Amino acid sequence: MPTQIAEQQTRAEAAESVKRVDKIDFKMITFSLAGKEYGIDIMSVKEIAKASRFTYVPNAAPFVRGVYNLRGEIISVVDLRIFFHLPAERKEEEALESLIILKIEEHVFGVIVDAIDKVVAISSSAIQPPHPIFGDINVKYIKGIVENASKLYIILDVEKIFAPDRGEEPAPAAMLEKREELEREPKSAEIAGSENEVAASFIRETLAALRGFHVTPLNSLWFDRRFGEWKASRKGDDLQLREPGDADQFLTGFWSPNTSDLWSDDYAHAVESVLPDIEAKNINVWNPGCGKGYETWSLACVMRRRYPDARIKIWANDSDLLAISMAPNMVFTENVPDYYNEFLVEGRNGRGFVQPIRDSIFFEFHDIMNANTLPPLDLILCRDVLSFIAPIDQKRLLGDFSEKLKPNGIVLTGSNERMGEGWTAIGSESLPAYRKDRRAENGPMSRRTA
Amino acid sequence: MRVEYINPFVEAAFNVLREVLQADVRRGELYLKSTSMPVMGVAAIVGLAGDVEGRVLFDMDKPTALKTASAMNGEELKELDELVKATITELANMITAQAVTKLHDLGFRFDLTPPAIFTGENMEVSNADVEALIVPMETPHGKIEINVAIRERG
């Protein structure tokens, strides 16, 4: 039979190629970003183009280059390199940029990439799940990795990148609750007896209701210890928190040192010693929940000492208008810890901070539950803030933290707050500091080899 | 939004409104908002550029716009015509300009774009990524909301 003959003739290659090429069902446009090869599913690509002179849009995110008139249709143009914090060569106004025009659901976008290569056809079964060591790009935006003609392509999940946020939220929330449950299990065994567990869970609820304090894995270590102490001091019969005063009493000892005054000499030196070496000329810091601003000013002085030559910028936010309104003009009439003397000058109303320190801080009336627009960060100082945020939002903010931090960036949390999965502890018992797990976020090989 | 920017806007809105309306003006509680917000019917917008980027939106319902424009022009205006629109636009311009002047004295450099006015029913402004400071002002002619979104250039 003819088919048999044909088969015999080509058997040598067929054995291999039939398996490999059996089903070409996935085509992608390949392109490069910062020297690496990437792919986008051709089904999301409308066309490719070269363009320049995008119309700048005020108030847009930094990665939005502007809008562009594509034959009468106005599309927004996103610079993928800036979106992923990759080095982007700033071309001249007139120079043409390589644009991939995407169509996602009903929206048309343009994305700027370094260079567009070609269309590559592969079998979707050859796509392997994203591996964390592959890139400078957050794993959640990667659909998979595929090899073709001895090149590795990272396939981006453009729908995840550009689709509106909806639908993504419930998943992490559900996960968090599950994790919480998991982590609570052993605790109930620790605090022997179900009666205790009931009492503890009542206290958890009342803390949330009276003071907005949420017991989550972030602070459960402290809570368990404190619950033990509380039980011992209350002798069993009157464990419950009945009014805000009780909740405050329960929370004594939770607070980090110096939340409503300048950091003491010891604490300032301790923070100084935990800060890593940073070679960058510009250092960006975020201080959500800065309250009256004492910790921001303290931190600004610590940073100035630790990195005397860098340009430091601190974004300090609080949603309490009254508290933060006073922050920018802080003056002292009494003695301050010696640490700060060199940064203070005599003013009309008392001693205030010198101009370089002032210039390094932006105090902003801002609710961190709203979108946080910040450049890539070297440090986040967030003491005793996350514990007062509902678990679901807490999770979201931690995601925000890890997204905004540079690969070597660190987070300083409150003394009794412990970050969990995805973070490596680098601080001490009294001064917890965390670095993003390199494996989870950015490949260790990424920037150094590039 | 930077704390330093808040007061100039609140003061400018208060001073200008009191001056042009020759009436008592009260300021409501300030708050932050980020989701899409309905526009009451007449909205004037002034863009800001310079060290910062952003916009200021003056939002009021149609009767308030008519009465405010009538008070400013010293004559009774019944239709939302060119004169009313021009008057509201001017009001937005005056307030924003005074705020920017105050900010300039504090060392912040802002430029203004020419104001634009939108009118219509069931309108909504939505830029979910932008957090706005809302300054509600109560005037005898009705409520005017000043919606300020400014951020530092990244």
Side-chain angles (χ1 to χ4, degrees), chain A residues 374-394:
Chain A
L374 293 155
L377 298 166
D378 296 281
L379 171 70
I380 296 176
L381 173 72
C382 184
R383 302 190 310 160
D384 310 344
V385 173
L386 292 170
S387 293
F388 292 86
I389 289 170
I392 290 171
D393 297 320
Q394 207 179 88

Side-chain angles (χ1 to χ4, degrees), chain B residues 31-103:
Chain B
Y31 61 99
L32 291 169
K33 204 167 176 181
S34 98
T35 48
S36 68
M37 39 217 145
V39 171
M40 288 187 271
V42 178
I45 188 167
V46 186
L48 298 169
D51 291 354
V52 297
E53 50 196 19
R55 53 122 180 101
V56 190
L57 185 84
F58 297 80
D59 184 17
M60 64 200 84
D61 59 17
K62 205 172 140 191
T64 309
L66 288 174
K67 282 190 237 166
T68 306
S70 303
M72 284 173 73
N73 283 300
E75 60 179 293
E76 177 95 14
L77 299 165
K78 293 213 162 66
E79 286 292 314
L80 201 67
D81 55 11
E82 289 306 313
L83 179 60
V84 174
K85 288 183 194 165
T87 313
I88 300 299
T89 313
E90 183 51 23
L91 177 67
N93 212 8
M94 284 165 80
I95 296 178
T96 315
Q98 193 175 104
V100 168
T101 309
K102 282 177 202 277
L103 283 164

Side-chain angles (χ1 to χ4, degrees), chain A residues 180 184 187 204 207 213-217 219-220 223 387 391:
Chain A
E180 247 182 286
R184 266 182 204 172
K187 270 187 310 194
R204 281 194 206 111
L207 280 177
F213 180 91
H214 299 274
V215 180
T216 65
N219 48 37
S220 56
F223 178 82
S387 293

Side-chain angles (χ1 to χ4, degrees), chain A residues 124-145:
Chain A
S124 62
S125 57
I127 301 177
Q128 297 183 15
H131 192 282
I133 72 165
F134 268 114
D136 308 290
I137 288 179
N138 198 324
V139 173
K140 73 179 180 194
Y141 298 132
I142 300 179
K143 197 180 252 172
I145 313 288

Side-chain angles (χ1 to χ4, degrees), chain B residues 120-152:
Chain B
E121 275 169 27
N122 282 328
M123 293 194 297
E124 199 173 75
V125 186
S126 60
N127 34 4
D129 282 356
V130 178
E131 184 185 54
L133 170 79
I134 314 287
V135 185
M137 304 294 293
E138 294 285 351
T139 76
H141 308 299
K143 188 168 78 168
I144 300 178
E145 263 188 16
I146 299 155
N147 177 316
V148 193
I150 308 180
R151 76 172 171 225
E152 251 41 49

Side-chain angles (χ1 to χ4, degrees), chain A residues 330-347:
Chain A
M330 186 171 281
V331 286
F332 301 90
T333 45
E334 290 160 19
N335 278 340
V336 297
D338 291 338
Y339 194 93
Y340 306 98
N341 279 328
E342 60 172 302
F343 301 110
L344 290 167
V345 281
E346 207 65 50

